Amino acid sequence: MGQVEKYNREMEEKSALIIQKHWRGYRERKNFRQQRPSLTEYKAAVTLQRAVLKFLAKCRKKKKLFASWHGLQELTDARRVELKQQVDDYVKRHPGSQMSDAASRELHAQAQERLQHYFMGRAIEERAQQHREALMAQISTNIEQLMKAPSLKEAEGKEPEQFLSRSRPVAAKAKQAHLTTLKHIQAPWWKKLGEEAGDEIDGSKDELSIDLGTLFIGGTKPP
């Protein structure tokens, strides 16, 4: 019986707490709905007060800016005459350079001509710079392609045609490498003793001189 009574008391306390919680929640929600108009009015009043304070601060700032002019005294006729005389004396002591209409037109024409020459030279220089950059990019691309090119034994089909270039330095380098390879292949066997597969082939500049006037470049022969 003691345990049953203890259980009943615990259930009664939990039930009372649940009822109180729900009742308090209902009461607070009711109070909030009743106070909502007042809260809205309070927020509106705060917003209006903030706007009014900003407006008054701007007005006070403007008054301070124009307050320094209020203490100035108006100029009298004698003071105006004195200031005008000082200005006239200064103009007489420092006369401005006068130029005729014809001289002014001639000077303007010269300035326009020099400006036109400057812009024309600038445009020509920009085009030349762009041309140089394009040539450098083309040479770099062609050199990279030649470095990655397969050997003559591995080349098949039209692969050699992909490396034709309009760049004379690249074509000269390609022909020099080709002549060096041919010379090494045609050399006697006893000159190749001690060489390995990865060794570079040396060639003298005199034997491998290149005549660029008859060089086949870019798929066309020069006249």
Side-chain angles (χ1 to χ4, degrees), residues 32-100:
F32 178 75
R33 283 194 294 269
Q34 292 177 355
Q35 294 176 1
R36 181 177 293 177
S38 301
L39 292 174
T40 304
E41 292 177 358
Y42 174 77
K43 291 181 179 179
V46 170
T47 303
L48 291 174
Q49 289 177 359
R50 188 183 296 113
V52 171
L53 291 175
K54 288 183 178 180
F55 175 74
L56 293 177
K58 289 181 180 179
C59 292
R60 286 192 294 270
K61 188 176 181 180
K62 289 182 180 180
K63 288 181 179 180
K64 289 181 180 179
L65 291 175
F66 293 104
S68 57
W69 295 91
H70 293 166
L72 296 177
Q73 297 179 357
E74 295 183 359
L75 294 175
T76 59
D77 295 338
R79 181 60 178 167
R80 288 193 180 92
V81 172
E82 182 181 358
L83 292 175
K84 187 176 183 303
Q85 185 64 34
Q86 292 179 3
V87 172
D88 294 340
D89 294 341
Y90 180 85
V91 171
K92 289 179 181 179
R93 289 194 305 269
H94 305 85
S97 58
Q98 297 181 356
M99 184 180 296
S100 63

